[in-house]
Amino acid sequence: MKAPVKALKALRETGVTIREATPDDAVGGVPPRWVALPEDTGEVAALMRVSAAHDLAVVPVGDGTKLGWGNPPERCDLLIDTCCLLLGSGSVAEHSSGDLVARAAAGLPLDVFNSMLSQFRQELALDSTLRAGTVGGTLATAVAGPRRFRYGTARDLLIGITVVLADGTIATSGGNVVKNVAGYDLGKLFTGSYGTLGVITEATFRLHPIPADRRWVTVDLPAAAEPGSPTAQAALAALDALVAELAASQAEPSAIELEWPDLTGGPTVSVLVEGVAADARAEAVRKSADEYGNARITTEAPAWWATPPGEEVLLELRVPPSAAHPALRAVAARGLPARVRGSVASAVLLVALPGDVCEVEFSGFVTSVRDDLRRLGGGLTVLAAPPDLVRGIDRWGPSGALPLMRRVKERFDPGRRMSPGRFAGGI
């Protein structure tokens, strides 16, 4: 019996639903052989034991909204779709409203999870910047939306996680610990690991009450006033002063977001104030912002709020908060029609380039901006780009933590079968 046939027979003997993969299941252009639909953590463990025995490369997937991020896997035999996963109780989520804690299956869409929690006036304060997205996918890619400024990221809100390792071992950390992997904080390791360490099957989060009220204060800053002045320097200086003032404001904003569709024009800043006396606190923010432009208060978020500036060619820029101004200046200096949006007070910004940018321009932009950001203590990651455009470019860029990351990979997946090559340094 040929090896693939034996492997498929063994996978089917686990009792898990297995189907042949289609072109739509490809990960970064790499087609898997089969797709598995496990219904609980035990079934994922059974699949992983078979995969280990037959040297199958495994890639976990939620609803696929971020499957194009990261490098294509070196190989992909089995796609484990988490859409059907349930908790041990047979439900997709368990909620302890009195403790402000909830546990969710990894395949549960984040918006459905929050809809369930909203019945108790509670929420997971993790507004993803992309449509839908599952609990597991959000953790695996470590995305966070505007309110990261106040509530932190997925890693900060995660208090427990259950994963299945490459050899089929089920490991849990945090929450009600069943089995821990000594010496490792699994929540921190698996958040942002892009499926290269194992399969996330369950997660437990700290919740927050839904604020009683919300207001957005939005202000359009003017563009550089004098023709021929350095690119957007006047706007950048005003932006820097405004953000510093807002971040230190006693109004305690939950988010300070930037929208800059044209770096030769003026940026827009929108501030979220929520909770008790939101209206009065928003008015205080408006008075401060009004010194920089015509500020206005709304009860609805701007249309661009918590959405990416583009999806085809998308980069993420991270620097220390004090370096947001020079980082934006570095982007503007390249002269490409970049669109910038994101959490300006946290200095985590998304940059979208036109889909028709040529390979030379793109390569030059990534390399030169990355050099500037490195001097500022930050970095730039290519989240999404067509394969032809990103060819020959390191999506993640240099990292001093790479030797440690490689040792962790070796510990968790010595056979390099979990999403091989997807992460930084070809991990």
Side-chain angles (χ1 to χ4, degrees), residues 261-279:
D262 179 0
L263 295 180
T264 62
T268 295
V269 173
S270 191
V271 182
L272 170 62
V273 177
E274 55 186 359
V276 178
D279 205 22

Side-chain angles (χ1 to χ4, degrees), residues 26-75:
V27 183
V30 179
R33 292 175 185 270
W34 309 292
V35 178
L37 301 165
E39 297 183 10
D40 58 38
T41 298
E43 290 193 348
V44 175
L47 291 170
M48 297 304 293
R49 287 194 291 272
V50 170
S51 299
H54 293 270
D55 190 31
L56 301 180
V58 177
V59 175
V61 59
D63 60 13
T65 55
K66 296 172 279 293
L67 204 56
W69 290 16
N71 297 318
E74 295 168 3
R75 60 190 181 106

Side-chain angles (χ1 to χ4, degrees), residues 87-107:
L87 303 178
S89 60
S91 62
V92 293
E94 295 173 355
H95 182 200
S96 178
S97 58
D99 297 326
L100 283 168
V101 167
R103 186 161 66 112

Side-chain angles (χ1 to χ4, degrees), residues 194-370:
Y194 278 70
T196 57
L197 299 179
V199 182
I200 299 170
T201 60
E202 300 176 11
T204 303
F205 296 97
R206 178 165 53 97
L207 307 178
H208 289 84
I210 293 178
D213 206 357
R214 284 178 173 143
R215 294 288 186 278
W216 283 262
V217 182
T218 302
V219 56
D220 301 316
L221 277 66
E226 299 178 9
S229 63
T231 306
Q233 278 301 304
L236 280 169
L239 174 65
D240 205 28
L242 173 60
V243 171
E245 189 172 330
L246 292 171
S249 169
Q250 293 186 351
E252 298 182 345
S254 296
I256 304 173
E257 290 287 291
L258 170 72
E259 160 72 340
W260 207 341
D262 179 0
L263 295 180
T264 62
T268 295
V269 173
S270 191
V271 182
L272 170 62
V273 177
E274 55 186 359
V276 178
D279 205 22
R281 290 159 53 216
E283 178 58 24
V285 171
R286 189 197 64 77
K287 288 180 179 177
S288 296
D290 218 27
E291 298 177 12
Y292 297 85
N294 184 23
R296 55 201 179 273
I297 299 176
T298 61
T299 55
E300 299 289 336
W304 50 267
W305 186 268
T307 61
E311 295 191 16
E312 188 176 4
V313 184
L314 187 63
L315 318 175
E316 184 184 72
L317 175 160
R318 290 176 182 246
V319 291
S322 60
H325 179 162
L328 286 166
R329 189 171 56 198
V331 173
R334 268 62 200 185
L336 285 182
R339 180 167 193 153
V340 181
R341 184 179 296 166
S343 301
V344 63
S346 303
V348 180
L349 299 165
L350 296 175
V351 180
L353 295 177
D356 59 356
V357 63
C358 76
E359 187 176 348
V360 173
E361 289 176 326
F362 181 69
S363 175
F365 181 90
V366 171
T367 302
S368 57
V369 172
R370 190 172 269 165

